[in-house]
């Protein structure tokens, strides 16, 4: 009896030791979670006031992180690589970021009004020519001259053309009024790529009820400024499109929502926008299911081994695994929502030209 009790105590300590060892072993062999690495790096980049405004894309494959996109300086490129290297589970960082300075659109010059035409100078007025009667009176001989002289009559002067006389007596034409100034041409301003556009959602988005391709209403939360000029005012209408919507199942999967900005209104016109995507993810369902089912099988096998050696271990493993599977099948994975009034930051991938 005494030896049986000592054997039972020793077996109990062995079970506790094996359970502790199995937990540490699972932590050692569990592969790196690439989605968790991406989420961690993106959150670090978003926390930086300069890097959150850049178009930086993060990819991870078995702990090897690749950074792509554009930044404004070598300092920002090195800072992004440093953030990626500090994330948990990262084995290597491949920095493929490029430096692209922002482009500023030059404002068109204002056109000067056309000069008023000069008024025409009045034509000089010619002195009047003597008439036929005046010429005759000037050449009439005196009464004392002989009668033969009266027979000689002088040749009268030819009359001026009628058109020339009318032109000489007509008043000067009135000056032509100046032409009205041309209206100013519309001004075109370009919003450079890499500009961060912050919107506030009006509609709510749910991973369990909405599908990719649906669009939702939002308002511009912060005015878009180029230089010192406000191009799009705060409160302008915006459109957000759902591009990925996945709902976690009962055993595997992860709830995910990915949206992008596709439209901005400026004045009476709506412009198409190409922006980076914003992603919201829930906890992974597959990893949790595997840990619960596998843990139940190990614990059941150990208890069965104590009770009935080899045969009891087999029976305990089957019962433990079945119990873990039943618990996971009875619950549904976490769903993801983007509620109304949520602020989302999008980065323009290409320049946007707005007519003012």
């Amino acid at each position: 009896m005494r030896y049986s009790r000592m054997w039972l105590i020793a077996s109990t300590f062995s079970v506790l030791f094996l359970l502790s060892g199995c937990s540490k072993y699972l932590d050692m062999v569990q592969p790196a979670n690439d989605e968790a690495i991406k989420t961690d790096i993106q959150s670090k980049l978003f926390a930086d006031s300069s890097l959150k405004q850049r178009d930086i894309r993060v990819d991870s494959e078995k702990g090897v992180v690749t950074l792509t996109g554009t930044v404004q300086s070598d300092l920002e490129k090195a800072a992004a690589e440093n953030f990626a290297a500090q994330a948990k589970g990262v084995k290597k960082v491949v920095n493929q970021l490029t430096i692209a300075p922002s482009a500023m659109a030059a404002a068109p010059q204002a056109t000067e009004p056309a000069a008023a035409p000069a008024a025409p100078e009045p034509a000089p007025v010619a002195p009047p020519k003597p008439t036929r009667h005046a010429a005759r009176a000037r050449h009439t001989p005196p009464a004392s001259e002989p009668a033969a002289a009266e027979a000689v009559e002088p040749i009268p002067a030819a009359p001026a053309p009628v058109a020339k006389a009318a032109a000489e007596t007509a008043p000067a034409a009135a000056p032509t009024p100046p032409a009205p100034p041309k209206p100013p041409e519309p001004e075109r301003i370009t919003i450079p790529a890499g500009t961060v556009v912050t919107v506030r959602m009006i509609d709510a988005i749910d991973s369990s009820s909405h599908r990719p391709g649906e669009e939702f209403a939002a308002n511009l939360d912060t005015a878009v400024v180029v230089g010192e000029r406000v191009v799009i005012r705060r409160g302008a209408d915006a459109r957000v499109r759902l591009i990925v919507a996945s709902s976690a199942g009962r055993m595997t999967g992860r709830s995910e929502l990915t949206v992008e900005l596709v439209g901005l209104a400026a004045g009476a016109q709506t412009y198409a926008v190409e922006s980076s995507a914003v992603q919201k993810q829930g906890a992974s369902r597959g990893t949790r299911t595997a840990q619960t089912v596998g843990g139940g099988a190990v614990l059941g096998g150990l208890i069965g081994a104590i009770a009935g050696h080899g045969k009891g271990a087999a029976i305990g493993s089957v019962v433990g695994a079945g119990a873990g599977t039943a618990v996971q099948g009875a619950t549904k994975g976490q769903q993801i929502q983007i509620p109304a009034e949520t602020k989302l930051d999008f980065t323009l991938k290409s320049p946007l030209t707005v007519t003012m």
Side-chain angles (χ1 to χ4, degrees):
M1 179 63 68
R2 182 178 178 182
Y3 290 105
S4 298
R5 184 178 300 174
M6 294 178 62
W7 180 85
L8 181 60
I9 294 173
S11 300
T12 302
F13 279 107
S14 299
V15 169
L16 295 177
F17 177 77
L18 288 175
L19 287 176
S20 177
C22 288
S23 177
K24 294 181 179 180
Y25 177 76
L26 289 174
D27 293 338
M28 293 175 59
V29 301
Q30 184 177 3
N33 190 337
D34 291 327
E35 294 297 332
I37 291 175
K38 290 171 57 179
T39 302
D40 187 14
I41 296 175
Q42 289 172 348
S43 63
K44 293 179 183 297
L45 295 177
F46 189 78
D48 189 274
S49 58
S50 298
L51 296 179
K52 69 178 290 186
Q53 302 180 13
R54 307 297 177 241
D55 181 16
I56 301 177
R57 294 177 291 277
V58 181
D59 292 317
S60 177
E61 183 176 357
K62 296 182 180 180
V64 179
V65 176
T66 302
L67 302 178
T68 58
T70 57
V71 293
Q72 295 296 321
S73 63
D74 290 328
L75 184 60
E76 292 183 354
K77 182 177 180 180
E81 182 176 352
N82 187 33
F83 283 141
Q86 293 177 357
K88 182 179 179 181
V90 175
K91 299 177 180 177
K92 182 180 179 182
V93 178
V94 180
N95 193 344
Q96 297 181 355
L97 294 173
T98 59
I99 301 174
S102 303
M104 301 294 291
Q109 300 179 353
T111 57
E112 298 181 355
E121 296 182 358
V125 180
K129 293 184 178 182
T131 62
R132 181 177 180 180
H133 296 288
R136 180 178 295 181
R138 195 166 49 246
H139 292 282
T140 302
S144 60
E145 289 184 1
E150 295 181 357
V152 180
E153 186 175 352
I155 301 175
V162 179
K164 186 176 181 180
E168 292 173 353
T169 57
T176 304
K182 295 181 180 180
E185 297 182 357
E187 188 177 4
R188 297 169 64 86
I189 298 179
T190 299
I191 305 172
T195 301
V196 176
V197 179
T198 303
V199 302
R200 185 183 296 272
M201 294 301 301
I202 297 176
D203 299 331
I205 309 175
D206 194 335
S207 63
S208 63
S209 58
H210 293 113
R211 297 293 178 265
E214 295 184 55
E215 293 187 1
F216 304 88
N219 283 335
L220 187 64
D221 189 72
T222 305
V224 178
V225 180
V226 176
E228 298 181 356
R229 184 74 176 274
V230 177
V231 181
I232 305 179
R233 298 187 179 276
R234 182 175 181 266
D237 294 336
R239 300 295 298 175
V240 174
R241 179 183 297 161
L242 180 62
I243 57 176
V244 175
S246 61
S247 180
R250 297 184 181 275
M251 298 298 294
T252 60
R254 179 197 301 270
S255 296
E256 178 181 349
L257 287 175
T258 304
V259 295
E260 63 180 358
L261 182 64
V262 295
L264 273 176
Q269 188 172 356
T270 300
Y271 298 88
V273 175
E274 183 180 4
S275 73
S276 62
V278 174
Q279 187 180 63
K280 300 290 184 181
Q281 289 185 339
S284 177
R285 188 65 172 169
T287 303
R288 177 60 180 166
T289 301
Q291 291 177 350
T292 303
V293 175
V298 171
L299 183 59
L302 291 174
I303 295 174
I306 296 173
H309 302 287
K311 183 177 180 180
I315 297 174
S317 299
V318 174
V319 173
T325 304
V327 171
Q328 290 298 315
T331 60
K332 190 176 182 181
Q334 178 188 7
Q335 306 306 316
I336 296 298
Q337 293 182 348
I338 300 179
E341 299 299 321
T342 300
K343 290 201 304 183
L344 301 176
D345 291 340
F346 298 92
T347 303
L348 296 183
K349 288 185 176 180
S350 58
L352 175 62
T353 301
V354 177
T355 302
M356 304 293 291

